[in-house]
Amino acid sequence: GAVVSQHPSRVICKSGTSVKIECRSLDFQATTMFWYRQFPKKSLMLMATSNEGSKATYEQGVEKDKFLINHASLTLSTLTVTSAHPEDSSFYICSANRDSNQPQHFGDGTRLSIL
Amino acid sequence: AQTVTQSQPEMSVQEAETVTLSCTYDTSESDYYLFWYKQPPSRQMILVIRQEAYKQQNATENRFSVNFQKAAKSFSLKISDSQLGDAAMYFCAYQSSTGTASKLTFGTGTRLQVTL
């Protein structure tokens, strides 16, 4: 069964609104979670590393104020797309692992569509 | 920074035949992990196989096996007895074994078609 749960699976909203995506580790504690973005027919690009109890580490070119990450507990990280625009439409997917020597488990992803 | 290259955007294989997907990577590290992930149309990311760089023996998982050539920095995936359900995007990925952050670096993917 799934060990990482991501919610919602699909979001359609108007331009200018903010959208929150949740990523939960179901049966293990994750001090670190990862957020990826995937454009159609493209690979996964790491956006940021979510660190429990501290600030997220963003990859070069990713706007911190646009993509807010909060990792308030050992089982939950959230990604908030603020003031969303059509160009933010994409597939967002999170991952986590039990420890750094274990493979990543991925959520099922969130398809975000901004009208 | 590490890079992962998949030079085959698309591959096709007949059912029951064998296909090999290529992957090369670049790193200055001596210890790391390599993965193959499968992404079907549902877009779930499914772990296919994992290789630890310090292990010389090639990893195998049922019909899936790898040819890991550390010196050449090559990590190909062989799928034997291909099935229709194997049709998907396949991503090769690299993960450093140092430090606490275990982020993945992905290749651009290979789309595998399985024909009757």
Short mmCIF file of all heavy atoms in Angstrom, two decimals, chain B residues 63-115:
data_model
loop_
_atom_site.label_atom_id
_atom_site.label_comp_id
_atom_site.label_asym_id
_atom_site.label_seq_id
_atom_site.Cartn_x
_atom_site.Cartn_y
_atom_site.Cartn_z
N ARG B 63 11.95 -9.89 -13.72
CA ARG B 63 12.29 -9.73 -15.14
C ARG B 63 13.19 -8.52 -15.41
O ARG B 63 13.57 -8.27 -16.56
CB ARG B 63 10.98 -9.57 -15.94
CG ARG B 63 10.07 -10.77 -15.88
CD ARG B 63 8.83 -10.58 -16.74
NE ARG B 63 7.98 -9.50 -16.27
CZ ARG B 63 7.86 -8.31 -16.87
NH1 ARG B 63 8.54 -8.05 -17.97
NH2 ARG B 63 7.04 -7.40 -16.38
N PHE B 64 13.47 -7.76 -14.38
CA PHE B 64 14.26 -6.54 -14.53
C PHE B 64 15.67 -6.75 -13.98
O PHE B 64 15.83 -7.26 -12.87
CB PHE B 64 13.59 -5.38 -13.79
CG PHE B 64 12.20 -5.06 -14.29
CD1 PHE B 64 11.10 -5.71 -13.76
CD2 PHE B 64 12.02 -4.12 -15.28
CE1 PHE B 64 9.82 -5.43 -14.23
CE2 PHE B 64 10.74 -3.83 -15.74
CZ PHE B 64 9.65 -4.48 -15.22
N SER B 65 16.65 -6.35 -14.75
CA SER B 65 18.03 -6.42 -14.29
C SER B 65 18.79 -5.22 -14.83
O SER B 65 18.35 -4.57 -15.78
CB SER B 65 18.69 -7.73 -14.74
OG SER B 65 18.74 -7.79 -16.15
N VAL B 66 19.91 -4.92 -14.17
CA VAL B 66 20.71 -3.79 -14.62
C VAL B 66 22.10 -4.27 -15.01
O VAL B 66 22.57 -5.32 -14.57
CB VAL B 66 20.82 -2.69 -13.54
CG1 VAL B 66 19.45 -2.12 -13.23
CG2 VAL B 66 21.52 -3.21 -12.29
N ASN B 67 22.73 -3.47 -15.85
CA ASN B 67 24.14 -3.65 -16.18
C ASN B 67 24.83 -2.39 -15.67
O ASN B 67 24.78 -1.33 -16.31
CB ASN B 67 24.34 -3.82 -17.68
CG ASN B 67 25.80 -4.09 -18.03
OD1 ASN B 67 26.66 -4.18 -17.14
ND2 ASN B 67 26.09 -4.22 -19.29
N PHE B 68 25.45 -2.51 -14.52
CA PHE B 68 26.09 -1.38 -13.86
C PHE B 68 27.58 -1.41 -14.15
O PHE B 68 28.29 -2.34 -13.75
CB PHE B 68 25.83 -1.44 -12.35
CG PHE B 68 26.57 -0.41 -11.54
CD1 PHE B 68 26.57 0.92 -11.91
CD2 PHE B 68 27.26 -0.78 -10.39
CE1 PHE B 68 27.25 1.87 -11.16
CE2 PHE B 68 27.93 0.16 -9.63
CZ PHE B 68 27.94 1.49 -10.02
N GLN B 69 28.05 -0.40 -14.86
CA GLN B 69 29.47 -0.28 -15.19
C GLN B 69 29.98 1.00 -14.53
O GLN B 69 29.84 2.10 -15.09
CB GLN B 69 29.65 -0.22 -16.70
CG GLN B 69 29.12 -1.41 -17.47
CD GLN B 69 29.97 -2.64 -17.21
OE1 GLN B 69 31.18 -2.55 -17.02
NE2 GLN B 69 29.33 -3.81 -17.20
N LYS B 70 30.55 0.86 -13.33
CA LYS B 70 30.91 2.03 -12.54
C LYS B 70 31.96 2.88 -13.22
O LYS B 70 31.88 4.11 -13.23
CB LYS B 70 31.38 1.61 -11.15
CG LYS B 70 31.53 2.77 -10.17
CD LYS B 70 31.81 2.30 -8.77
CE LYS B 70 31.85 3.48 -7.80
NZ LYS B 70 32.11 3.04 -6.41
N ALA B 71 32.97 2.26 -13.77
CA ALA B 71 34.06 3.01 -14.40
C ALA B 71 33.53 3.81 -15.60
O ALA B 71 33.96 4.95 -15.83
CB ALA B 71 35.17 2.07 -14.84
N ALA B 72 32.63 3.22 -16.32
CA ALA B 72 32.05 3.89 -17.49
C ALA B 72 30.89 4.79 -17.11
O ALA B 72 30.36 5.51 -17.97
CB ALA B 72 31.59 2.85 -18.51
N LYS B 73 30.46 4.75 -15.85
CA LYS B 73 29.32 5.51 -15.37
C LYS B 73 28.10 5.24 -16.24
O LYS B 73 27.43 6.15 -16.76
CB LYS B 73 29.65 7.01 -15.31
CG LYS B 73 30.76 7.30 -14.31
CD LYS B 73 31.12 8.77 -14.24
CE LYS B 73 32.26 8.94 -13.24
NZ LYS B 73 32.76 10.33 -13.21
N SER B 74 27.82 3.95 -16.35
CA SER B 74 26.71 3.50 -17.16
C SER B 74 25.81 2.61 -16.32
O SER B 74 26.29 1.81 -15.50
CB SER B 74 27.24 2.73 -18.37
OG SER B 74 26.20 2.10 -19.07
N PHE B 75 24.50 2.71 -16.54
CA PHE B 75 23.54 1.99 -15.70
C PHE B 75 22.33 1.66 -16.56
O PHE B 75 21.32 2.36 -16.53
CB PHE B 75 23.16 2.88 -14.51
CG PHE B 75 22.20 2.25 -13.53
CD1 PHE B 75 22.53 1.10 -12.83
CD2 PHE B 75 20.97 2.83 -13.26
CE1 PHE B 75 21.66 0.52 -11.92
CE2 PHE B 75 20.08 2.28 -12.33
CZ PHE B 75 20.44 1.12 -11.67
N SER B 76 22.40 0.60 -17.33
CA SER B 76 21.31 0.26 -18.24
C SER B 76 20.33 -0.71 -17.58
O SER B 76 20.70 -1.49 -16.69
CB SER B 76 21.85 -0.33 -19.54
OG SER B 76 22.57 -1.51 -19.28
N LEU B 77 19.10 -0.66 -18.04
CA LEU B 77 18.03 -1.52 -17.52
C LEU B 77 17.61 -2.50 -18.59
O LEU B 77 17.28 -2.09 -19.71
CB LEU B 77 16.82 -0.67 -17.11
CG LEU B 77 15.57 -1.45 -16.68
CD1 LEU B 77 15.80 -2.15 -15.35
CD2 LEU B 77 14.36 -0.52 -16.60
N LYS B 78 17.61 -3.78 -18.26
CA LYS B 78 17.15 -4.81 -19.19
C LYS B 78 15.82 -5.35 -18.69
O LYS B 78 15.70 -5.76 -17.53
CB LYS B 78 18.16 -5.94 -19.30
CG LYS B 78 17.77 -6.98 -20.36
CD LYS B 78 18.88 -7.99 -20.63
CE LYS B 78 18.94 -9.07 -19.59
NZ LYS B 78 19.88 -10.16 -19.97
N ILE B 79 14.86 -5.35 -19.59
CA ILE B 79 13.54 -5.92 -19.29
C ILE B 79 13.39 -7.17 -20.13
O ILE B 79 13.40 -7.10 -21.37
CB ILE B 79 12.40 -4.93 -19.59
CG1 ILE B 79 12.64 -3.60 -18.85
CG2 ILE B 79 11.06 -5.52 -19.17
CD1 ILE B 79 11.63 -2.50 -19.21
N SER B 80 13.25 -8.30 -19.48
CA SER B 80 13.10 -9.57 -20.18
C SER B 80 11.63 -9.96 -20.24
O SER B 80 10.83 -9.55 -19.39
CB SER B 80 13.88 -10.66 -19.45
OG SER B 80 15.24 -10.31 -19.32
N ASP B 81 11.28 -10.74 -21.27
CA ASP B 81 9.90 -11.23 -21.39
C ASP B 81 8.92 -10.07 -21.23
O ASP B 81 8.02 -10.10 -20.38
CB ASP B 81 9.64 -12.31 -20.34
CG ASP B 81 8.29 -12.99 -20.49
OD1 ASP B 81 7.74 -12.98 -21.60
OD2 ASP B 81 7.77 -13.48 -19.46
N SER B 82 9.09 -9.06 -22.06
CA SER B 82 8.30 -7.83 -21.92
C SER B 82 6.80 -8.11 -21.95
O SER B 82 6.31 -8.96 -22.72
CB SER B 82 8.65 -6.85 -23.04
OG SER B 82 10.00 -6.47 -22.96
N GLN B 83 6.08 -7.37 -21.12
CA GLN B 83 4.63 -7.50 -21.03
C GLN B 83 3.98 -6.17 -21.37
O GLN B 83 4.61 -5.11 -21.25
CB GLN B 83 4.25 -7.95 -19.62
CG GLN B 83 4.86 -9.28 -19.22
CD GLN B 83 4.58 -9.66 -17.78
OE1 GLN B 83 3.94 -8.91 -17.03
NE2 GLN B 83 5.06 -10.82 -17.37
N LEU B 84 2.71 -6.23 -21.76
CA LEU B 84 2.00 -5.01 -22.12
C LEU B 84 2.01 -4.00 -20.97
O LEU B 84 2.07 -2.79 -21.18
CB LEU B 84 0.57 -5.33 -22.54
CG LEU B 84 0.42 -6.13 -23.83
CD1 LEU B 84 -1.04 -6.46 -24.09
CD2 LEU B 84 1.01 -5.39 -25.02
N GLY B 85 1.98 -4.51 -19.76
CA GLY B 85 1.97 -3.64 -18.59
C GLY B 85 3.30 -2.94 -18.33
O GLY B 85 3.37 -2.06 -17.48
N ASP B 86 4.32 -3.30 -19.09
CA ASP B 86 5.61 -2.63 -18.94
C ASP B 86 5.64 -1.30 -19.69
O ASP B 86 6.57 -0.50 -19.50
CB ASP B 86 6.74 -3.52 -19.47
CG ASP B 86 6.92 -4.79 -18.66
OD1 ASP B 86 6.58 -4.78 -17.46
OD2 ASP B 86 7.40 -5.78 -19.22
N ALA B 87 4.67 -1.06 -20.52
CA ALA B 87 4.62 0.19 -21.28
C ALA B 87 4.49 1.36 -20.32
O ALA B 87 3.58 1.41 -19.50
CB ALA B 87 3.46 0.19 -22.26
N ALA B 88 5.44 2.30 -20.41
CA ALA B 88 5.48 3.43 -19.48
C ALA B 88 6.67 4.30 -19.81
O ALA B 88 7.46 3.99 -20.71
CB ALA B 88 5.62 2.94 -18.03
N MET B 89 6.79 5.41 -19.07
CA MET B 89 8.02 6.20 -19.08
C MET B 89 8.95 5.59 -18.04
O MET B 89 8.52 5.24 -16.93
CB MET B 89 7.75 7.66 -18.73
CG MET B 89 7.20 8.49 -19.85
SD MET B 89 8.42 8.80 -21.15
CE MET B 89 9.51 9.95 -20.32
N TYR B 90 10.21 5.47 -18.40
CA TYR B 90 11.20 4.96 -17.46
C TYR B 90 12.24 6.05 -17.21
O TYR B 90 12.82 6.60 -18.15
CB TYR B 90 11.87 3.70 -18.01
CG TYR B 90 10.96 2.49 -17.94
CD1 TYR B 90 10.00 2.26 -18.91
CD2 TYR B 90 11.06 1.59 -16.87
CE1 TYR B 90 9.14 1.18 -18.83
CE2 TYR B 90 10.22 0.50 -16.79
CZ TYR B 90 9.26 0.30 -17.76
OH TYR B 90 8.41 -0.78 -17.68
N PHE B 91 12.45 6.32 -15.93
CA PHE B 91 13.42 7.34 -15.54
C PHE B 91 14.58 6.70 -14.77
O PHE B 91 14.37 5.94 -13.83
CB PHE B 91 12.77 8.40 -14.65
CG PHE B 91 11.76 9.26 -15.36
CD1 PHE B 91 10.41 9.02 -15.22
CD2 PHE B 91 12.17 10.31 -16.15
CE1 PHE B 91 9.47 9.81 -15.86
CE2 PHE B 91 11.24 11.12 -16.80
CZ PHE B 91 9.88 10.86 -16.66
N CYS B 92 15.77 7.05 -15.18
CA CYS B 92 16.97 6.70 -14.44
C CYS B 92 17.23 7.83 -13.44
O CYS B 92 17.00 9.01 -13.76
CB CYS B 92 18.12 6.57 -15.44
SG CYS B 92 19.73 6.18 -14.74
N ALA B 93 17.67 7.49 -12.24
CA ALA B 93 17.87 8.52 -11.23
C ALA B 93 19.11 8.23 -10.39
O ALA B 93 19.46 7.07 -10.15
CB ALA B 93 16.64 8.63 -10.32
N TYR B 94 19.72 9.32 -9.93
CA TYR B 94 20.94 9.26 -9.11
C TYR B 94 20.65 9.86 -7.74
O TYR B 94 19.95 10.87 -7.63
CB TYR B 94 22.03 10.09 -9.80
CG TYR B 94 23.32 10.24 -9.01
CD1 TYR B 94 24.43 9.46 -9.33
CD2 TYR B 94 23.44 11.16 -7.98
CE1 TYR B 94 25.62 9.60 -8.62
CE2 TYR B 94 24.62 11.29 -7.27
CZ TYR B 94 25.70 10.52 -7.59
OH TYR B 94 26.87 10.66 -6.89
N GLN B 95 21.21 9.23 -6.72
CA GLN B 95 21.08 9.75 -5.36
C GLN B 95 22.42 9.64 -4.65
O GLN B 95 23.02 8.57 -4.60
CB GLN B 95 20.03 8.96 -4.59
CG GLN B 95 19.87 9.39 -3.13
CD GLN B 95 18.86 8.52 -2.39
OE1 GLN B 95 17.78 8.23 -2.90
NE2 GLN B 95 19.23 8.10 -1.20
N SER B 96 22.87 10.76 -4.12
CA SER B 96 24.12 10.75 -3.36
C SER B 96 23.92 9.99 -2.05
O SER B 96 22.82 9.98 -1.49
CB SER B 96 24.55 12.19 -3.06
OG SER B 96 25.67 12.21 -2.22
N SER B 97 24.95 9.36 -1.58
CA SER B 97 24.85 8.65 -0.30
C SER B 97 25.45 9.45 0.84
O SER B 97 25.42 9.02 1.99
CB SER B 97 25.56 7.30 -0.37
OG SER B 97 26.95 7.50 -0.53
N THR B 98 25.98 10.64 0.52
CA THR B 98 26.60 11.46 1.55
C THR B 98 25.63 12.53 2.01
O THR B 98 24.74 12.95 1.26
CB THR B 98 27.88 12.15 1.03
OG1 THR B 98 27.54 12.95 -0.11
CG2 THR B 98 28.91 11.11 0.61
N GLY B 99 25.79 12.94 3.24
CA GLY B 99 24.91 13.98 3.76
C GLY B 99 23.56 13.42 4.12
O GLY B 99 23.25 12.25 3.91
N THR B 100 22.71 14.25 4.65
CA THR B 100 21.39 13.82 5.09
C THR B 100 20.32 14.01 4.03
O THR B 100 19.27 13.39 4.08
CB THR B 100 20.96 14.61 6.35
OG1 THR B 100 21.02 16.02 6.05
CG2 THR B 100 21.90 14.31 7.50
N ALA B 101 20.59 14.85 3.06
CA ALA B 101 19.58 15.08 2.02
C ALA B 101 19.77 14.04 0.92
O ALA B 101 20.85 13.90 0.38
CB ALA B 101 19.71 16.49 1.45
N SER B 102 18.72 13.32 0.61
CA SER B 102 18.84 12.25 -0.37
C SER B 102 18.01 12.56 -1.59
O SER B 102 17.25 11.73 -2.06
CB SER B 102 18.41 10.93 0.26
OG SER B 102 17.16 11.08 0.91
N LYS B 103 18.16 13.76 -2.13
CA LYS B 103 17.38 14.14 -3.29
C LYS B 103 17.81 13.35 -4.51
O LYS B 103 18.95 12.90 -4.62
CB LYS B 103 17.52 15.64 -3.56
CG LYS B 103 18.94 16.07 -3.87
CD LYS B 103 19.01 17.57 -4.03
CE LYS B 103 20.42 18.04 -4.33
NZ LYS B 103 20.52 19.51 -4.44
N LEU B 104 16.88 13.19 -5.43
CA LEU B 104 17.12 12.45 -6.65
C LEU B 104 17.35 13.39 -7.82
O LEU B 104 16.68 14.41 -7.95
CB LEU B 104 15.91 11.56 -6.96
CG LEU B 104 15.69 10.37 -6.03
CD1 LEU B 104 14.30 9.80 -6.22
CD2 LEU B 104 16.74 9.30 -6.28
N THR B 105 18.28 13.02 -8.67
CA THR B 105 18.48 13.69 -9.94
C THR B 105 18.03 12.73 -11.03
O THR B 105 18.56 11.62 -11.13
CB THR B 105 19.95 14.07 -10.15
OG1 THR B 105 20.36 14.94 -9.08
CG2 THR B 105 20.13 14.79 -11.48
N PHE B 106 17.07 13.17 -11.85
CA PHE B 106 16.48 12.30 -12.85
C PHE B 106 17.04 12.56 -14.24
O PHE B 106 17.41 13.69 -14.58
CB PHE B 106 14.97 12.52 -12.91
CG PHE B 106 14.22 11.95 -11.73
CD1 PHE B 106 13.96 12.73 -10.62
CD2 PHE B 106 13.79 10.64 -11.74
CE1 PHE B 106 13.27 12.22 -9.53
CE2 PHE B 106 13.10 10.11 -10.66
CZ PHE B 106 12.85 10.90 -9.55
N GLY B 107 17.04 11.52 -15.04
CA GLY B 107 17.27 11.67 -16.47
C GLY B 107 16.00 12.15 -17.14
O GLY B 107 14.95 12.32 -16.49
N THR B 108 16.07 12.35 -18.44
CA THR B 108 14.94 12.91 -19.19
C THR B 108 13.88 11.87 -19.53
O THR B 108 12.81 12.23 -19.99
CB THR B 108 15.42 13.56 -20.48
OG1 THR B 108 16.26 12.63 -21.19
CG2 THR B 108 16.21 14.83 -20.20
N GLY B 109 14.18 10.62 -19.30
CA GLY B 109 13.18 9.58 -19.48
C GLY B 109 13.21 8.91 -20.84
O GLY B 109 13.66 9.49 -21.83
N THR B 110 12.75 7.67 -20.86
CA THR B 110 12.58 6.89 -22.09
C THR B 110 11.17 6.34 -22.10
O THR B 110 10.75 5.67 -21.15
CB THR B 110 13.57 5.72 -22.16
OG1 THR B 110 14.90 6.21 -22.20
CG2 THR B 110 13.29 4.87 -23.40
N ARG B 111 10.45 6.62 -23.15
CA ARG B 111 9.08 6.10 -23.27
C ARG B 111 9.15 4.73 -23.94
O ARG B 111 9.63 4.61 -25.07
CB ARG B 111 8.20 7.03 -24.09
CG ARG B 111 6.75 6.56 -24.21
CD ARG B 111 5.86 7.60 -24.88
NE ARG B 111 5.86 8.85 -24.15
CZ ARG B 111 5.14 9.09 -23.06
NH1 ARG B 111 4.33 8.15 -22.58
NH2 ARG B 111 5.18 10.26 -22.47
N LEU B 112 8.68 3.72 -23.24
CA LEU B 112 8.72 2.35 -23.75
C LEU B 112 7.34 1.95 -24.25
O LEU B 112 6.36 2.01 -23.51
CB LEU B 112 9.18 1.37 -22.67
CG LEU B 112 9.22 -0.10 -23.09
CD1 LEU B 112 10.27 -0.31 -24.18
CD2 LEU B 112 9.49 -1.00 -21.90
N GLN B 113 7.30 1.53 -25.50
CA GLN B 113 6.07 0.97 -26.07
C GLN B 113 6.24 -0.54 -26.17
O GLN B 113 7.32 -1.03 -26.55
CB GLN B 113 5.82 1.55 -27.46
CG GLN B 113 5.45 3.02 -27.45
CD GLN B 113 5.13 3.53 -28.85
OE1 GLN B 113 5.79 3.15 -29.81
NE2 GLN B 113 4.12 4.36 -28.96
N VAL B 114 5.19 -1.27 -25.84
CA VAL B 114 5.19 -2.72 -25.96
C VAL B 114 4.11 -3.11 -26.97
O VAL B 114 2.94 -2.78 -26.77
CB VAL B 114 4.94 -3.41 -24.61
CG1 VAL B 114 4.98 -4.93 -24.77
CG2 VAL B 114 5.96 -2.95 -23.58
N THR B 115 4.54 -3.79 -28.03
CA THR B 115 3.61 -4.14 -29.09
C THR B 115 3.32 -5.64 -29.09
O THR B 115 4.13 -6.45 -28.62
CB THR B 115 4.18 -3.73 -30.46
OG1 THR B 115 5.43 -4.40 -30.65
CG2 THR B 115 4.40 -2.24 -30.52
#
